Amino acid sequence: MNEQAIIAALSALAQESRLRVFRLLVTAGPTGMPAGQIAEELAITANTLSFHLSLLKNAGLVAVRREGRSLIYSAEYGHAKAVIDYLTENCCSRKPCCDGGE
């Protein structure tokens, strides 16, 4: 994964509502959630949610599919994992490995 993709993903998550949306979609699993349910659960207006979902989608963190009249959003787990892997790929390369407890 290139640095521009990493920066786009981290930038998308660096906002409270988008981070909440992404975390909610992670809990929903691969089946995802309809936009209306996301808006209701997070108390975000539809137009604001649409803006946030668009940014998350453009950053590769969210996928969308149509089911009838509903748009179903789901987390892109592979992309999120690639971001985490990028951030930790050189973990402890200069010191003995950390145990994560600090």
Side-chain angles (χ1 to χ4, degrees):
M1 178 168 272
N2 68 50
E3 284 187 358
Q4 291 304 319
I6 298 296
I7 291 168
L10 293 174
S11 294
L13 293 172
Q15 196 278 341
E16 181 181 2
S17 295
R18 287 191 293 275
L19 181 60
R20 290 174 59 218
V21 168
F22 182 75
R23 289 184 55 140
L24 178 64
L25 290 174
V26 167
T27 68
T31 57
M33 297 176 76
Q37 184 179 353
I38 298 168
E40 184 178 314
E41 287 196 31
L42 297 179
I44 299 174
T45 62
N47 61 337
T48 300
L49 178 63
S50 177
F51 170 77
H52 291 311
L53 286 167
S54 178
L55 284 172
L56 289 166
K57 183 178 176 291
N58 290 339
L61 293 167
V62 167
V64 61
R65 69 183 184 281
R66 181 172 291 282
E67 287 185 7
R69 296 180 66 189
S70 296
L71 292 176
I72 309 298
Y73 291 87
S74 57
E76 284 284 5
Y77 296 96
H79 195 77
K81 184 177 179 328
V83 171
I84 293 166
D85 289 348
Y86 177 88
L87 293 173
T88 60
E89 72 183 340
N90 296 319
C91 179
C92 306
S93 64
R94 294 180 181 228
K95 293 186 178 190
C97 197
C98 56
D99 64 5
E102 294 183 37

